[in-house]
Amino acid sequence: MLSLTMLAACQSSDSQTSSSSDTSSAIDWSQAGPDAQKNQLSFADVKADVEKGAKFYDVRSEDEFNAGNFGITDSLPIAELEAGILPDVPKDTAIYVHCLKGIRSAQAVEILREAGFSQVYDLGGVQQVEAIGGKIE
């Protein structure tokens, strides 16, 4: 039920582009995270958005993040979000989140949306981000 609520709350972003690249056409969208699937977001789309000022947060623990990450992510452990530590960015900044399996990213999306962030996208777990073209570094 929670995931249905979060998917319904997801808004389209003006900064999102439709995926028309060769990479996007090779993606098995059934393997993508919930919002990547819904909005047809490839890793290249997310990277381009991050280069324009969007944020991509890894909500795993610091140890998990330090063991390997996608290179364009910032660490923002779910424990910090649960403690009320929110990103210091405008509420309309596009924010992408991921974790290991998709559970903590769903929790993070809920916290961020409830805090008033309007463009929050759940990319799911590591394997789901890899399915849209991400590579752990």
Side-chain angles (χ1 to χ4, degrees):
M1 183 61 130
L2 177 63
S3 62
L4 291 175
T5 303
M6 289 188 308
L7 285 175
C10 185
Q11 300 174 347
S12 295
S13 166
D14 292 338
S15 65
Q16 302 304 314
T17 58
S18 63
S19 300
S20 59
S21 68
D22 293 334
T23 305
S24 296
S25 63
I27 293 171
D28 177 357
W29 293 107
S30 69
Q31 299 300 306
D35 290 334
Q37 195 174 69
K38 178 181 178 186
N39 296 292
Q40 300 285 287
L41 295 168
S42 71
F43 191 79
D45 295 329
V46 174
K47 183 176 181 182
D49 214 12
V50 167
E51 289 169 355
K52 293 187 285 185
K55 295 294 183 182
F56 186 11
Y57 293 115
D58 182 332
V59 298
R60 300 176 300 159
S61 71
E62 282 287 332
D63 288 341
E64 289 172 295
F65 177 82
N66 291 332
N69 60 73
F70 290 105
I72 62 169
T73 52
D74 292 322
S75 179
L76 181 61
I78 189 67
E80 290 184 14
L81 288 171
E82 290 172 334
I85 300 169
L86 299 171
D88 187 18
V89 298
K91 299 283 184 162
D92 63 348
T93 300
I95 297 175
Y96 302 92
V97 297
H98 90 86
C99 63
L100 181 62
K101 298 199 180 251
I103 296 167
R104 290 174 283 184
S105 65
Q107 294 168 331
V109 166
E110 182 177 10
I111 291 167
L112 291 166
R113 288 182 181 154
E114 286 178 1
F117 291 91
S118 60
Q119 296 184 60
V120 184
Y121 301 92
D122 184 357
L123 299 185
V126 168
Q127 288 182 338
Q128 292 171 311
V129 177
E130 289 175 334
I132 63 170
K135 302 271 187 278
I136 290 284
E137 299 180 356

